[in-house]
Amino acid sequence: MSPDRFQNLDPAQKVKVLPRHLAGPGPTSPSAAWPFPFDEDWRVYQSEKGTAFTTSPCMRLWSSFTPEPDKSRKGAWTTEANRHGGLPFGHATWQITFDATTPVELLHDVHTELLDLYHEDLHSDRDGLFEDMTAPHEAYASLFASGWRHHVKTDGTQSFLSPDDLAGVVHRYAVTRSHEPAWRVWGGHPSEPQWQARFTTGTPTALVAALTASMISTAPLIRTVNEVPCNTRSHLYLATPTGTPPADRPAAQPPPAAGPGPGTRPSR
């Protein structure tokens, strides 16, 4: 097991970490998770207890955050769509749920793609929010290039596991039970993930692809040391820390560069 690279750092020090799926939730706030244009008739409501809710002008999309600080997953982010609009809290055509422990940057990237689909539908004859135009392989093709392992079962599911065994994607490609998610994505130890995301049948595949692309991105996430989950710290890599650490504590250092693996050509 790799050493804990955080043990000698000040808890308030900011660091840049990878992989993204183990970074911890970060700033759990609607402003960090929602890129929606609230100055363009998107409505947003927030209670004193932290519950937040937003709807698109057409009322076909709505998203909410329900904090549950006393529970292990700390609450949930939920995004739903209704083809006919005007019915928030009614029957959803499709739904996405994220545990509140999900890295907020992953949510932001999914919601950014959702906003792109929304704008494309406004300015064209397509209905990409409800007529999926993205092939399923678009959601996992990039995982192969990043060294993820692939396993297919005879029950109509296929799964993908990250090289560190601490993130996974499960795709139910032969949908036989509508109450089960078509896609489930998680990060952390498989037996007890730090976070999970679920996409019901009918959710645009482009949104799943946005999540997987965000997970494997090599752009590090900024966290304070005390925001990084303790049980997977040994699997994280530190980029250059942000800010200046206290004088009595050393600066975080990135791990030494690994030598080329078997069969790897040195760069020229």
Side-chain angles (χ1 to χ4, degrees):
M1 179 179 293
S2 302
D4 182 352
R5 303 182 179 93
F6 300 83
Q7 61 183 351
N8 295 321
L9 302 180
D10 185 88
Q13 182 178 347
K14 290 184 178 181
V15 292
K16 296 179 180 180
V17 297
L18 286 171
R20 293 159 69 97
H21 56 266
L22 301 178
T28 306
S29 66
S31 61
W34 293 338
F36 306 128
F38 297 115
D39 58 345
E40 298 178 10
D41 294 331
W42 281 70
R43 300 176 183 177
V44 63
Y45 313 88
Q46 190 163 8
S47 72
E48 294 181 356
K49 295 183 178 180
T51 301
F53 179 78
T54 183
T55 63
S56 64
C58 64
M59 302 290 281
R60 297 206 302 171
L61 294 174
W62 56 94
S63 189
S64 65
F65 172 56
T66 305
E68 296 177 314
D70 297 331
K71 295 188 177 181
S72 60
R73 301 296 171 83
K74 305 302 180 183
W77 298 89
T78 303
T79 295
E80 297 180 321
N82 185 305
R83 181 186 289 270
H84 304 293
L87 297 171
F89 304 114
H91 176 72
T93 305
W94 54 258
Q95 180 190 75
I96 308 171
T97 58
F98 288 92
D99 293 332
T101 46
T102 306
V104 72
E105 294 86 352
L106 307 188
L107 276 79
H108 185 276
D109 289 347
V110 172
H111 290 139
T112 297
E113 180 64 27
L114 176 64
L115 186 60
D116 286 347
L117 290 176
Y118 170 79
H119 282 146
E120 288 174 10
D121 285 359
L122 282 180
H123 301 99
S124 70
D125 295 331
R126 57 173 289 174
D127 198 7
L129 289 171
F130 302 99
E131 297 174 4
D132 198 355
M133 302 177 186
T134 303
H137 72 83
E138 296 289 343
Y140 52 76
S142 59
L143 300 180
F144 291 126
S146 297
W148 287 48
R149 301 190 300 281
H150 180 215
H151 181 66
V152 181
K153 293 185 178 181
T154 57
D155 64 355
T157 62
Q158 59 180 336
S159 59
F160 306 84
L161 191 64
S162 63
D164 61 9
D165 296 336
L166 295 175
V169 175
V170 178
H171 175 215
R172 185 171 295 280
Y173 60 87
V175 178
T176 56
R177 294 181 290 276
S178 60
H179 67 279
E180 295 186 2
W183 299 86
R184 182 174 67 88
V185 186
W186 53 269
H189 292 290
S191 59
E192 192 174 354
Q194 292 174 2
W195 61 269
Q196 294 190 70
R198 299 170 179 84
F199 300 75
T200 65
T201 301
T203 304
T205 303
L207 302 181
V208 185
L211 176 57
T212 56
S214 184
M215 290 172 68
I216 64 174
S217 169
T218 56
L221 302 184
I222 298 175
R223 298 287 186 268
T224 58
V225 169
N226 60 4
E227 289 177 331
V228 178
C230 293
N231 61 343
T232 52
R233 284 185 174 186
S234 61
H235 299 276
L236 283 166
Y237 296 96
L238 287 169
T240 304
T242 63
T244 302
D248 60 341
R249 294 181 182 271
Q253 297 295 325
T264 302
R265 294 183 180 181
S267 59
R268 297 181 182 273

